[in-house]
Amino acid sequence: MEINSLQDVEKGIQEHSSSLEESAVNLLDDIINVLPVYIKDLINEAFEYKRIPKEYLLSSIFFAFCNASGLAFQIDALGYSNYGNLYFALIGSRGDAKSPAMDLATGPLNKYDNQKYEEFREKSLEADPGDIIDRKQLFIQDATVEAAYYMHHKNPFSLGIFIDEMYHLIEKMSNPSSKDGPAWRQLLLQGNTNKHVDILRKTTESFRLTKSYPTLLGSIQEQFIPKIFSGGNEESGLTDRLCYSLKLTHNSKLSKYRIGLDCLRNYSDNLLRIMDHRLVVEEKKMDDPYVLTCSSEAEDILFDYTQKLLDDQKDTESGEKEYLSKIQINIHKMVLILHLIKQSAKPELSLKVEPATVNEAVRIMEFYLINFRIIKQKLAGQVKTINPGDIIRLGIKNNATQQQIAAVLGVNKSTISRKMAKIKI
């Protein structure tokens, strides 16, 4: 295509974007078709009868299995140990059925949370004054970051951050004067690689977790995408850790039918079967987590894909280069989750990952990479390059601490201290 004007540039971008979206839809169909029947049926029936986009429900299902598995399962491959916590962002417009997808996928686990809340309430009513009753739960929807850390302390195997509209959380993270925002971002940054959590308080309970396991599912409207990539979120690496789902599938045909009860029951039974395995470890009936290992051929496929990601980074612009780096971690997590999804439908739990599972996980990560590329194209020209000096000046004017400014920019506090000494307000 010959380019003679800005209009030609815009046309070229639109054509390339359409091509990417077509590739994403084709890849999505391939992914769904090789999933276990109980997952494939749920996605297809939800799309046909409830007009729930397939990509939204797929990501929400992954999130549900991330929560169900928790720290009870790890995968050892290529010399690394990883767990299955991933972060998902559903992006679309109002009325795109993001919430129904989230609710449908997490429904069986929400019932678990309801049951545990009733048990907590009954024990609290029967307890003596001063007794502390711990509440078991999988999800938080509206909490301060301090409450989130405390809930994770009481439920060390997972922290499910389930946010129907996460604009306000993202906006906090983008605000250098916010107290909670940088702390939320730090939790997600460190939790992605399951780092320890050590909370020290003067007036409340102090605690330490040897491993953290946050997982995230949230929706955000498309016009707010720039917020995800601003205010230090991109610079700190938070944006690179998200698996994005743009709306790609459309169904405008109303149906009188409901999702079949057998379809819903099969999904619930298999998801809760993974939860049952988790409870064996969580309730100390096993001393160690289940450890997944790859067959020789499966590990070769994982090795080749990781090497390809490293090679691709050399010829890729900044932005996507960092995203490719995080895929090198997330591919391990996705292999684990996909293996559990497949094993949940079998009578015996196998801990050996087969080549087909790794190949399918690779396609899934490529799907999320395409979504990321589409988003970056949509953002072209919308997000200005951030001058660290401007962020520091803004932080000083808003009385932000050096630690808060450092969290926004994703650097060490000592770096901020040196830069502040050179900045004139």
Side-chain angles (χ1 to χ4, degrees), residues 286-300:
M286 279 178 55
D287 294 330
D288 298 307
Y290 297 96
V291 179
L292 277 62
T293 57
C294 294
S295 69
S296 178
E297 185 180 349
E299 188 147 26
D300 286 343

Side-chain angles (χ1 to χ4, degrees), residues 146-207:
E146 289 86 357
Y149 272 118
Y150 186 73
M151 181 269 197
H152 199 4
H153 165 54
K154 296 299 182 181
N155 298 268
F157 269 63
S158 66
L159 173 69
I161 305 169
F162 182 89
I163 305 176
D164 192 32
E165 177 50 71
M166 66 177 181
Y167 167 78
H168 297 292
L169 178 61
I170 295 295
E171 196 277 333
K172 284 181 182 179
M173 294 181 187
S174 304
N175 184 354
S177 62
S178 169
K179 178 184 176 183
D180 273 10
W184 273 111
R185 183 163 58 203
Q186 192 69 12
L187 169 62
L188 292 171
L189 290 174
Q190 292 190 316
N192 184 241
T193 49
N194 311 105
K195 289 186 171 64
H196 74 274
V197 171
D198 198 331
I199 301 296
L200 180 62
R201 297 283 185 264
K202 287 184 179 180
T203 56
T204 57
E205 183 178 352
S206 298
F207 55 86

Side-chain angles (χ1 to χ4, degrees), residues 6 132 156 175 178 180 267 279 285 323 336 359 377-378:
L6 287 175
I132 298 176
N175 184 354
S178 169
D180 273 10
Y267 172 71
L279 291 175
K285 296 175 184 176
Y323 199 78
L336 188 157
N359 275 323
Q377 288 185 352
K378 290 177 180 290

Side-chain angles (χ1 to χ4, degrees), residues 245-371:
S245 288
L246 290 158
K247 186 173 181 182
L248 300 167
T249 56
H250 308 268
N251 179 13
S252 58
K253 185 178 179 181
L254 197 64
S255 173
K256 296 180 181 179
Y257 298 101
R258 297 182 179 182
I259 300 172
L261 291 179
D262 286 344
C263 181
L264 293 171
R265 188 179 301 111
N266 288 338
Y267 172 71
S268 177
D269 288 348
N270 285 293
L271 176 61
L272 294 178
R273 189 170 294 118
I274 296 301
M275 192 71 196
D276 289 340
H277 288 303
R278 163 192 168 146
L279 291 175
V280 171
V281 182
E282 190 171 1
E283 294 173 356
K284 306 299 182 185
K285 296 175 184 176
M286 279 178 55
D287 294 330
D288 298 307
Y290 297 96
V291 179
L292 277 62
T293 57
C294 294
S295 69
S296 178
E297 185 180 349
E299 188 147 26
D300 286 343
I301 296 169
L302 185 59
F303 178 89
D304 290 343
Y305 180 60
T306 306
Q307 184 62 59
K308 178 181 179 299
L309 293 171
L310 286 167
D311 294 339
D312 289 347
Q313 283 183 273
K314 299 175 185 177
D315 302 317
T316 305
E317 295 181 359
S318 179
E320 185 172 321
K321 181 180 296 185
E322 291 78 8
Y323 199 78
L324 292 174
S325 177
K326 296 305 179 291
I327 291 180
Q328 294 167 39
I329 299 172
N330 286 344
I331 180 62
H332 289 250
K333 296 175 180 291
M334 185 55 73
V335 168
L336 188 157
I337 294 303
L338 186 57
H339 179 80
L340 294 182
I341 286 174
K342 296 169 77 171
Q343 288 299 310
S344 66
K346 298 180 179 179
E348 297 291 333
L349 176 66
S350 170
L351 300 179
K352 183 66 70 175
V353 178
E354 297 302 327
T357 300
V358 179
N359 275 323
E360 290 156 19
V362 166
R363 286 198 288 272
I364 292 168
M365 295 316 303
E366 289 295 297
F367 169 76
Y368 286 118
L369 176 59
I370 293 175
N371 276 264

Side-chain angles (χ1 to χ4, degrees), residues 52-81:
I52 296 175
K54 296 179 179 182
E55 59 280 4
Y56 288 168
L57 185 52
L58 179 67
S59 291
S60 299
I61 288 171
F62 288 149
F63 169 79
F65 274 87
C66 286
N67 278 276
S69 59
L71 289 172
F73 293 88
Q74 74 178 57
I75 181 169
D76 287 354
L78 304 183
Y80 297 96
S81 293

